Amino acid sequence: MLKTEIVDILLVEDSPQDAELMIRALRKRNVANPLYLVKDGAEALDFLFCKGDYSDRSLTDPPRVILLDLKLPKVSGLEVLKKIKSDERTRTIPVVVVTSSREDPDIKAAYELGANSYVVKMVDFDSFLECMSNIGLYWVLVNQPPV
Amino acid sequence: MNLFQILTPLTYWILVGLWLYILGFLFLRLRRSNFEKSLPNILIIVLGIDALRTVLESIFFGSWFTSKSGFLPISVYDFLVRPEIVIIPKILNVITALLIIGILLYRWFPAEKRDRELQERNLQKRTRQLKESEERFRMICEYAPVLIDSFDEAGKCIVWNKQCEKTFGWTMDEINAHENSLALFYPDPTVYKEVEAATMRDPDGCFKEWHPQTKDNRTVTINWASFRLPSGTIISMGHDITERKRDQAQLVLMNDALENSLNAFDIVNAEGVFTYVNQSYITLWGYENADEIVGTPASAHCQDPTFPQKIIKELYANGKYEGELTAKRKDGSIFEALIYARLAHDSNGEAIFPTTFIEITSLKQAQQEVLKEKNRLQFALEVCQTGAWDLDLVTLSAHRTIGHDRIFGYETKAPEWHYKNFLSHVVPEDKEEVDRKFQYSFSNHSDWNIECRIRRTDGEIRWIWAVGRHASPVDGKVRYMGGVVQDITERKLNELEVQKAHDLLEIRVEERTAELKIRQQEAEDLNRAMINMLEDLKQTNQGLEVAKTALRSTNQELEAFSYSVSHDLRAPLRAINGFVQILHEDYGEHLDDEGQRVCKVISDSAQDMGRLIDDLLAFSRVGRATLQSQAIDMEELAQITFTEICSPEEQQRIDFHLDPLPKALGDQALMRHIWMNLLGNAVKFSSKQEKAVISVRAQQKQDEVIYAVHDNGAGFDAQYADKLFGVFQRLHRSDEFEGTGVGLAIVQRIINRHGGRIWAEGKPNQGATFYFTMKTGEDLCSKLKS
């Protein structure tokens, strides 16, 4: 996939296994929208704000949804969320926090920073599949993004 | 009878009438017209007619008579038979003759003489008329209610009517006795000249207000109209307007006084509408000007709008009204006023009500204040058992309150009280001193302040305290002295007691001081030891502080650890599980049964591991979470939890007994966890029974409650009972009953944190009973409250 193409779903996930499972789950439910995977927080910010490797991209075509893991190398998920939600240009992009952590402080912090959903990755594969595909269906196909 | 006989008498009488008529006509003409000129004509006519009459008489009467007596002249017979036909013509002849004689006589009478007589008669008549007129005018002049006078050119008074006499006091003769009468009225030469010039100057008259003097030296104001006749005579008419002027001035003064009066004043008409208000009224009621009020109803100015009508009713009945009014200003505020209203009538005779007001709000407040002050004072005097007195320094007699006399032992107020009465009560030992102080105060007008003993009427000796102060001098003299007297016996006795105690104390203090010195020495030694101890304690504290910090960091590390566990440990599990699933889905057909089974084993193990991690985290969280203690309805909680964890089929299968449970004090969420776990275990381990029985009971023991959950399930071997509550300790195999072995460990941890205990009883296949204790809710609650 080219870095300048229009991306509907931005997946921020450091674990390649989890990323693969999530993509598989989405595809299995026929969510075929363009998806781009970044592996750490810094890259996610570069992608969103069109810097570094992504300086060719335009800010006018933001992704329709961001699936964000909290435990990320370099820049943590919460920091990425904070940056997205405090910038005028990216504030309206829905962010779904997808993480293994059930710890209360993370959930609270994520919502306080303006996360649109908080989903826990389940160990049980079927549940995980169900959950991921529902997220894809809802945020990409059902939800109406701001004009 | 022929025609003549019929006509003759009639015609005759007609002729007689005609003749009389002509004579009358002539007579009238004689009076009116120029008689003398027409006299010959009249004479001819009279004679002519008389001749005609005579002819006719002879014709008619002759023929008529002929029928009886032929053509004989009128005879005695005729006269006897028909006297009228003889007499009437003769009478008529005589009248005619007289007429002719009269006319001739008149014709011959000399004309001059006749005129003179006539003139004289006329003159007499006119003189009489003139006199009458003059008298009339004189009377009018004399008695007219205006001043009328007249002076001839020589300055002599010729007319001076009654009104003049009445106004000025002088009679006409008195005026004329003076050489210059005008100077009588105007002694000031300047004014005199002015008057003289004014009356002389204008022939058409002078209309002016003058201020002449009267006989008794009063100055009056007269509105004079003077005319100068060509002869030089001056006629004046005047009107005395002195009183009117004075009344007007008075009226202006009164009006001014009313308008600027400090008292509010208004006039209300019979409809209760204002027709007049003065300045004070406008100010008092808070208006700007009278136009705002005049024409509006008075009811709007009273708190009670029916008040004006009540007063008007009262005024009609009694003519006046005095009372108090709660008035309402323009801005709606309220004030008290005294009101005095009268019934009066205006110039049209209509009833009007002039009313005066005095604002008394502050007066009333002051009255109330004084009353309050008086009551307060009275109360204070009574409470302090104090009597008050006023001494007249001239008579030395005193007014007192009843409290005053009671102090001296009188049940009721003594009829009279003098300074000597007071002195007679003072005990002899104190008398001299008291009197000396009083005399000193009396002569120097200084305050009097004594404490002395008195003998009451019942003989008892009491201590009193009396103070007095002189009133401010009036006209340089001090007339009164006022003061109070108080019975201070108790205080005095107490003072003596205190004095005694004080003396005693001083002795004691000396003894104790010596003792204290020894003790002090000991204390100092002790103190030194204490300081050493404190230093030790400080060091210990510092050590404790270090330990606390270490503990805090350990806790934080633990938290970070559990976070890491929950996040990182689960990720690989998810991968294992997910990829096994993918293997199964994508390559399932290449795997034989054993391969499929292995996949399932991997998947199940991964899921078990996931649950284990979750339970471990929960176990760790229980240890760290802060307790939110409250009274919990355990019975309700147990029931709800049971219903939640059981499917409808299970509820059918299980016979659930729930006894009434006492309340417990604890954390709601953690309590819920206990019930979830214990009831869950009971359901789980009794699931293989045909008819499962689970019962929950409780027993109150002093300040704790023992709750028990009993089931008739798989039970356990009592020798392993101590392993029940260990982490990851299981007494059943997973293929029998699934579980992680953490549940009861968590329960124990929760109960321990609440200060309770947990234990279990059971036998294999004979069910198990789990007991735990909690502090009683009610007991602790009431303790907390108290």
Side-chain angles (χ1 to χ4, degrees):
Chain A
M1 186 179 280
L2 289 170
K3 287 172 181 173
T4 49
E5 265 179 42
I6 288 174
V7 168
D8 276 353
I9 304 168
L10 177 69
L11 178 59
V12 188
E13 176 62 72
D14 65 325
S15 154
Q17 291 89 354
D18 274 354
E20 192 182 336
L21 288 172
M22 280 159 91
I23 293 165
R24 190 184 165 91
L26 291 170
R27 295 288 178 255
K28 207 161 183 189
R29 281 298 178 102
N30 298 324
V31 181
N33 298 57
L35 181 145
Y36 193 83
L37 173 70
V38 287
K39 301 223 168 93
D40 62 57
E43 196 184 352
L45 289 175
D46 281 352
F47 180 90
L48 283 168
F49 294 103
C50 311
K51 285 187 252 169
D53 289 349
Y54 299 94
S55 52
D56 294 342
R57 275 184 56 80
S58 163
L59 259 167
T60 50
D61 296 311
R64 293 183 66 156
V65 66
I66 299 168
L67 304 180
L68 179 69
D69 188 12
L70 285 188
K71 200 138 197 298
L72 291 171
K74 293 183 188 174
V75 181
S76 85
L78 285 176
E79 270 176 79
V80 172
L81 179 62
K82 193 176 172 183
K83 287 235 167 81
I84 292 171
K85 289 298 176 186
S86 57
D87 194 297
E88 282 291 336
R89 296 166 296 179
T90 52
R91 182 181 291 168
T92 53
I93 307 171
V95 177
V96 179
V97 173
V98 186
T99 180
S100 311
S101 170
R102 275 181 196 279
E103 291 291 294
D104 292 353
D106 283 344
I107 300 175
K108 198 160 168 269
Y111 276 119
E112 272 173 5
L113 288 173
N116 300 69
S117 289
Y118 187 100
V119 178
V120 176
K121 291 184 236 171
M122 297 175 201
V123 175
D124 178 55
F125 184 68
D126 287 332
S127 309
F128 182 71
L129 201 80
E130 184 74 22
C131 179
M132 285 320 298
S133 56
N134 282 345
I135 290 168
L137 279 173
Y138 176 74
W139 286 105
V140 180
L141 301 179
V142 179
N143 185 45
Q144 184 63 42
V147 180
Chain B
M1 193 180 275
N2 61 23
L3 188 66
F4 275 117
Q5 282 173 324
I6 300 164
L7 285 177
T8 302
L10 185 64
T11 314
Y12 179 74
W13 287 115
I14 289 169
L15 275 170
V16 171
L18 191 65
W19 188 83
L20 280 172
Y21 174 74
I22 290 167
L23 274 183
F25 176 74
L26 285 173
F27 185 72
L28 285 174
R29 280 292 297 255
L30 189 122
R31 280 179 63 99
R32 282 184 200 166
S33 65
N34 198 337
F35 187 63
E36 277 172 42
K37 275 186 188 165
S38 56
L39 206 63
N41 304 336
I42 294 168
L43 206 61
I44 292 162
I45 293 166
V46 168
L47 287 174
I49 290 172
D50 199 57
L52 185 65
R53 185 189 58 89
T54 314
V55 173
L56 286 170
E57 261 177 16
S58 60
I59 295 168
F60 289 112
F61 292 145
S63 62
W64 183 41
F65 291 126
T66 310
S67 64
K68 291 247 177 92
S69 56
F71 286 100
L72 289 172
I74 295 162
S75 61
V76 177
Y77 169 81
D78 293 328
F79 182 78
L80 292 172
V81 178
R82 302 280 303 271
E84 76 270 16
I85 61 167
V86 180
I87 293 164
I88 290 169
K90 294 304 161 203
I91 293 169
L92 293 175
N93 284 348
V94 170
I95 294 169
T96 308
L98 283 174
L99 252 174
I100 291 164
I101 292 164
I103 290 165
L104 290 175
L105 272 174
Y106 184 79
R107 186 86 182 110
W108 292 327
F109 203 78
E112 286 167 21
K113 198 180 174 188
R114 204 169 61 223
D115 286 348
R116 204 167 50 243
E117 277 180 10
L118 204 66
Q119 271 175 4
E120 258 176 37
R121 244 196 339 265
N122 279 346
L123 194 67
Q124 275 176 4
K125 189 180 166 189
R126 278 190 196 146
T127 312
R128 202 170 56 244
Q129 282 176 343
L130 201 65
K131 270 195 170 175
E132 214 175 272
S133 168
E134 200 186 302
E135 181 64 15
R136 207 159 46 228
F137 277 117
R138 201 185 62 77
M139 292 295 274
I140 289 171
C141 236
E142 193 67 26
Y143 295 103
V146 289
L147 303 160
I148 301 171
D149 63 26
S150 180
F151 289 83
D152 66 10
E153 53 192 326
K156 189 186 170 209
C157 183
I158 48 175
V159 174
W160 188 253
N161 75 349
K162 292 271 183 220
Q163 191 67 29
C164 285
E165 273 182 30
K166 196 174 145 193
T167 305
F168 291 102
W170 287 294
T171 60
M172 202 198 294
D173 295 338
E174 281 172 334
I175 292 167
N176 283 333
H178 280 80
E179 206 165 298
N180 188 348
S181 50
L182 201 55
L184 268 181
F185 305 109
Y186 303 102
D188 185 344
T190 348
V191 182
Y192 167 76
K193 276 188 184 142
E194 203 186 323
V195 176
E196 193 181 34
T199 44
M200 298 290 174
R201 197 166 45 228
D202 198 344
D204 290 336
C206 165
F207 302 89
K208 210 170 167 191
E209 208 172 87
W210 299 106
H211 304 281
Q213 284 206 346
T214 63
K215 191 180 177 182
D216 51 4
N217 286 329
R218 280 184 300 114
T219 302
V220 289
T221 306
I222 312 287
N223 216 350
W224 280 116
S226 304
F227 303 92
R228 190 181 167 81
L229 299 180
S231 63
T233 304
I234 295 168
I235 300 173
S236 306
M237 278 169 282
H239 190 54
D240 183 358
I241 56 169
T242 316
E243 278 185 16
R244 203 171 76 197
K245 280 264 167 188
R246 201 174 53 216
D247 288 352
Q248 270 177 1
Q250 188 82 3
L251 205 64
V252 168
L253 205 68
M254 299 286 271
N255 204 27
D256 192 54
L258 193 63
E259 182 65 25
N260 297 315
S261 166
L262 283 177
N263 288 350
F265 179 80
D266 72 13
I267 300 176
V268 170
N269 68 11
E271 280 82 47
V273 171
F274 289 109
T275 58
Y276 170 80
V277 290
N278 74 351
Q279 197 53 48
S280 288
Y281 187 98
I282 295 165
T283 314
L284 187 54
W285 261 265
Y287 286 84
E288 300 290 327
N289 54 55
D291 295 343
E292 282 182 276
I293 304 173
V294 171
T296 65
S299 53
H301 289 214
C302 310
Q303 193 185 29
D304 172 13
T306 61
F307 192 71
Q309 283 310 323
K310 279 182 204 158
I311 296 184
I312 287 175
K313 214 167 155 189
E314 176 93 14
L315 283 170
Y316 276 127
N318 301 331
K320 63 176 188 172
Y321 176 85
E322 281 182 79
E324 286 181 14
L325 160 77
T326 307
K328 195 167 83 181
R329 287 198 188 86
K330 186 185 179 184
D331 61 10
S333 58
I334 299 291
F335 67 91
E336 295 294 328
L338 273 183
I339 168 170
Y340 175 72
R342 275 185 314 107
L343 169 66
H345 293 90
D346 66 4
S347 54
N348 299 324
E350 308 241 338
I352 52 169
F353 309 104
T355 313
T356 315
F357 302 90
I358 299 170
E359 202 239 319
I360 52 161
T361 309
S362 49
L363 193 71
K364 279 211 124 177
Q365 280 171 351
Q367 266 177 0
Q368 281 168 357
E369 277 304 314
V370 167
L371 202 67
K372 248 192 258 174
E373 196 59 43
K374 196 180 159 191
N375 287 340
R376 238 189 325 250
L377 196 65
Q378 192 119 17
F379 181 67
L381 287 176
E382 273 173 31
V383 168
C384 302
Q385 292 182 331
T386 306
W389 50 268
D390 279 316
L391 185 67
D392 186 327
L393 294 179
V394 179
T395 62
L396 288 184
S397 71
H399 292 278
R400 304 88 56 205
T401 60
I402 177 72
H404 173 280
D405 288 10
R406 278 196 190 127
I407 287 172
F408 291 89
Y410 298 91
E411 277 309 310
T412 54
K413 214 158 138 183
E416 271 201 50
W417 190 268
H418 285 81
Y419 172 65
K420 63 178 190 304
N421 295 67
F422 162 71
L423 215 55
S424 70
H425 280 277
V426 178
V427 296
E429 301 94 295
D430 293 351
K431 203 172 271 182
E432 195 183 324
E433 172 75 2
V434 167
D435 192 43
R436 191 182 59 74
K437 278 191 174 171
F438 178 78
Q439 295 303 341
Y440 179 81
S441 158
F442 183 70
S443 46
N444 290 299
H445 295 164
S446 60
D447 288 358
W448 180 54
N449 189 336
I450 51 136
E451 279 181 13
C452 65
R453 281 160 294 173
I454 54 156
R455 185 181 293 279
R456 288 174 22 154
T457 49
D458 57 6
E460 193 182 339
I461 303 284
R462 304 285 289 181
W463 274 94
I464 60 153
W465 172 52
V467 285
R469 174 165 288 183
H470 288 81
S472 309
V474 178
D475 300 333
K477 276 186 183 173
V478 178
R479 294 287 311 271
Y480 288 98
M481 184 174 180
V484 292
V485 58
Q486 193 176 21
D487 188 319
I488 54 162
T489 313
E490 275 76 22
R491 199 187 82 196
K492 267 282 169 192
L493 293 179
N494 282 343
E495 270 175 19
L496 293 175
E497 282 290 316
V498 166
Q499 188 58 45
K500 229 186 269 176
H502 184 77
D503 295 345
L504 207 67
L505 201 68
E506 272 191 358
I507 302 163
R508 288 260 175 86
V509 164
E510 271 169 28
E511 290 171 6
R512 286 284 186 278
T513 311
E515 251 176 71
L516 208 64
K517 269 185 186 158
I518 303 162
R519 289 280 159 80
Q520 206 173 0
Q521 194 59 46
E522 290 172 5
E524 265 170 30
D525 296 346
L526 207 67
N527 212 0
R528 228 170 279 124
M530 202 93 128
I531 286 167
N532 292 339
M533 263 167 74
L534 264 178
E535 268 168 18
D536 291 351
L537 203 65
K538 217 178 192 174
Q539 278 169 8
T540 315
N541 247 349
Q542 277 166 359
L544 217 58
E545 201 64 39
V546 172
K548 206 165 138 191
T549 316
L551 193 66
R552 201 176 288 136
S553 69
T554 311
N555 244 348
Q556 277 167 358
E557 278 166 24
L558 197 66
E559 235 165 86
F561 168 72
S562 47
Y563 180 86
S564 177
V565 164
S566 82
H567 201 278
D568 299 342
L569 230 54
R570 281 152 61 96
L573 278 175
R574 202 161 43 244
I576 295 167
N577 206 19
F579 284 93
V580 168
Q581 196 75 23
I582 291 167
L583 182 73
H584 179 73
E585 280 174 12
D586 294 359
Y587 305 97
E589 55 205 39
H590 301 293
L591 294 175
D592 58 4
D593 288 352
E594 181 58 18
Q596 300 265 8
R597 192 189 65 81
V598 169
C599 278
K600 194 179 181 310
V601 169
I602 296 169
S603 179
D604 288 350
S605 306
Q607 283 178 36
D608 282 349
M609 179 92 184
R611 266 198 298 279
L612 256 170
I613 290 167
D614 284 344
D615 283 352
L616 253 181
L617 275 174
F619 179 71
S620 142
R621 208 180 290 128
V622 165
R624 281 180 289 131
T626 45
L627 296 182
Q628 309 272 332
S629 275
Q630 64 187 89
I632 296 160
D633 188 337
M634 293 293 257
E635 189 180 336
E636 191 190 1
L637 192 63
Q639 182 63 58
I640 290 171
T641 312
F642 180 74
T643 318
E644 267 176 19
I645 59 172
C646 287
S647 62
E649 297 82 45
E650 276 177 318
Q651 284 182 33
Q652 279 286 306
R653 183 178 59 81
I654 298 164
D655 190 3
F656 184 63
H657 295 281
L658 179 60
D659 284 1
L661 305 182
K663 286 186 179 174
L665 193 77
D667 185 287
Q668 175 92 15
L670 296 179
M671 275 311 125
R672 192 186 187 81
H673 199 101
I674 293 174
W675 287 112
M676 191 96 84
N677 209 291
L678 293 182
L679 288 171
N681 278 350
V683 171
K684 184 163 76 182
F685 291 107
S686 64
S687 61
K688 295 205 165 104
Q689 300 297 322
E690 192 117 328
K691 188 70 195 168
V693 177
I694 298 173
S695 55
V696 179
R697 294 185 305 273
Q699 194 182 358
Q700 180 94 40
K701 277 224 172 138
Q702 286 157 359
D703 63 339
E704 62 175 19
V705 185
I706 303 169
Y707 298 92
V709 180
H710 173 79
D711 68 74
N712 64 343
F716 60 88
D717 193 338
Q719 61 173 312
Y720 304 120
D722 55 332
K723 291 190 174 174
L724 269 174
F725 304 103
V727 187
F728 303 124
Q729 298 285 346
R730 304 202 71 228
L731 298 186
H732 300 278
R733 297 201 311 275
S734 291
D735 55 355
E736 282 179 327
F737 298 102
E738 59 179 17
T740 56
V742 183
L744 282 173
I746 294 176
V747 169
Q748 189 185 39
R749 201 159 188 178
I750 292 170
I751 287 166
N752 286 345
R753 286 207 64 193
H754 281 85
R757 293 163 288 126
I758 184 164
W759 67 97
E761 289 169 1
K763 279 180 183 167
N765 296 320
Q766 285 181 22
T769 308
F770 283 83
Y771 301 92
F772 67 96
T773 66
M774 293 294 295
K775 301 286 176 202
T776 48
E778 289 95 343
D779 194 35
L780 268 181
C781 279
S782 61
K783 261 184 201 167
L784 280 175
K785 270 178 198 161
S786 65

